[in-house]
Amino acid sequence: KSPSGGGDEAARAHGATVDDAVGKKSYLRMTIRGYATLGLLDSGCEMTILPARLVEREQIKPTKQRILAANGAEIPVLGVATVMAKIGNIVLPVEGLVSERIHEPMIGIEWLEKNDILWAFRDRTVRMRVQNDVFPRSPETGRAQVGAASNCG
């Protein structure tokens, strides 16, 4: 279901805050509105969630969607918005729910599916099938810059 969809359903956002983060996580380097940031790749999150600081207020549209953290607590939602994210040399739209409580973009399964993302966990690469390109590549190594991080703030 798209974030702008109606209804009173709640999206499960596993690891929704940096505070309750445990273990290794994979981030995708991206630039949104000129700000370099790390987007958490979260295949357990049904919908993408964007931090309010990366979205212009006038872009936020009302929604009835809710977000529940893994512990069941509700995370306040300002609305839904679409931003353009530069990932390597590719610019893609990212639609997501917007919250002031989220500190980093959380890239959910719907975005991964919509963009036909192939995530190779062993070699920690992310490919877009249509473009058949690993992104973003490190200028030094030529490998994808999908890395582990325990905190992003």
Side-chain angles (χ1 to χ4, degrees):
K1 185 166 209 164
S2 125
S4 54
D8 195 30
E9 297 87 8
R12 286 269 166 209
H14 300 287
T17 63
V18 173
D19 295 337
D20 64 7
V22 293
K24 289 186 177 182
K25 296 189 176 201
S26 292
Y27 290 88
L28 185 61
R29 295 179 193 281
M30 57 178 57
T31 303
I32 299 174
R33 291 186 54 226
Y35 297 101
T37 188
L38 297 174
L40 174 66
L41 298 179
D42 190 349
S43 61
C45 186
E46 294 174 19
M47 303 165 87
T48 295
I49 308 169
L50 301 167
R53 68 181 173 80
L54 295 178
V55 181
E56 293 180 24
R57 292 289 175 179
E58 59 270 10
Q59 288 183 299
I60 301 173
K61 297 179 178 112
T63 184
K64 293 182 180 182
Q65 290 291 324
R66 300 176 329 163
I67 305 172
L68 296 180
N71 65 5
E74 187 163 343
I75 298 171
V77 173
L78 298 176
V80 62
T82 300
V83 296
M84 299 306 289
K86 184 175 181 187
I87 304 167
N89 293 323
I90 302 169
V91 178
L92 297 168
V94 178
E95 180 185 30
L97 297 172
V98 181
S99 177
E100 292 176 332
R101 298 270 179 97
I102 303 301
H103 304 289
E104 62 196 3
M106 295 178 62
I107 307 303
I109 191 69
E110 96 295 338
W111 188 88
L112 298 170
E113 290 172 345
K114 181 178 181 180
N115 289 286
D116 207 9
I117 301 298
L118 302 174
W119 188 355
F121 291 95
R122 185 180 320 152
D123 63 358
R124 302 182 68 79
T125 60
V126 177
R127 290 184 185 270
M128 181 174 275
R129 189 186 312 259
V130 175
Q131 309 235 346
N132 198 25
D133 191 24
V134 175
F135 60 88
R137 287 190 179 132
S138 163
E140 295 84 27
T141 66
R143 292 193 58 177
Q145 295 182 40
V146 177
S150 57
N151 196 337
C152 175

